[in-house]
Structure formats: structure tokens, C-alpha cells
């Protein structure tokens, strides 16, 4: 599972950088989105990957999943969506002129 996540992170960041180096504005927006998703996966993977671990406190608290990276990623997704909407609005306004 860790290998699959590491490969996914590498592909997202590599494709994000490739798209950022593209010439058009849409390529830059797509590259930023891919980079932000790669960064979100890095944060989520840093908390440790546990299968079938409860999200809340149970009788054996040693098997509990760490909620802090999950909260950080959820917040980053919401902020990233807001920034994406703002950038797309700026993009449509600049192309009309």
C-alpha cells in the first residue's frame, strides 16, 4: 500500500510540474491542482497508513488512526477548491478583455 501511495504522489507531482511548464493558462491551473493533490497525499501518508483502524477512540487505542493529517488534508482540499474557483474566475475575466 505504501508503494502505491508513493508512486501516486510521484506521478501527481511530476505531471503537475510538467503542466506548470506548459504555455497556456489552463495548463498552469491544471498543474497547480495536480501539485496540490500530490501535497495532500504527502500529508495524508505522513500520518501513517493503517487499514481498518477506527477513526474514533476504541478499547485498544494503539490501533487508532491519526486524525490530524486527515483534518489538515480536508482543510487543504476546501481551500484548494476556493483558490481554484478564484483562479478560474480571473482566467475568464482576463480572456474576455
Amino acid at each position: 500500500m505504501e508503494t502505491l501511495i508513493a508512486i501516486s504522489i510521484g506521478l501527481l507531482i511530476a505531471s503537475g510540474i510538467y503542466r506548470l511548464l506548459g504555455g497556456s493558462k489552463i495548463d498552469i491551473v491544471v498543474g497547480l491542482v495536480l501539485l496540490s493533490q500530490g501535497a495532500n497525499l504527502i500529508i495524508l501518508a505522513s500520518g501513517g497508513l493503517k487499514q481498518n483502524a477506527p477513526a474514533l477512540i476504541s478499547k485498544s487505542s494503539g490501533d487508532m488512526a491519526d486524525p490530524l493529517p486527515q483534518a489538515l488534508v480536508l482543510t487543504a482540499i476546501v481551500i484548494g477548491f476556493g483558490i481554484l474557483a478564484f483562479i478560474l474566475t480571473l482566467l475568464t475575466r482576463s480572456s474576455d478583455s
Side-chain angles (χ1 to χ4, degrees), residues 61-80:
S61 63
D63 295 337
M64 190 175 75
D66 189 12
L68 182 62
Q70 297 172 9
L72 288 174
V73 167
L74 183 62
T75 305
I77 289 171
V78 171
I79 291 171

Side-chain angles (χ1 to χ4, degrees), residues 3-57:
T3 307
L4 181 64
I5 295 293
I7 291 171
S8 300
I9 291 169
L11 285 175
L12 280 172
I13 290 179
S15 59
I17 290 172
Y18 178 74
R19 296 293 292 215
L20 273 175
L21 296 175
S24 69
K25 294 176 185 176
I26 295 295
D27 283 342
I28 293 172
V29 171
V30 171
L32 285 174
V33 169
L34 290 174
L35 274 177
S36 69
Q37 294 304 317
N40 289 341
L41 273 179
I42 288 173
I43 293 171
L44 193 62
S46 70
L49 301 173
K50 295 182 181 180
Q51 290 183 338
N52 300 328
L56 300 174
I57 297 175

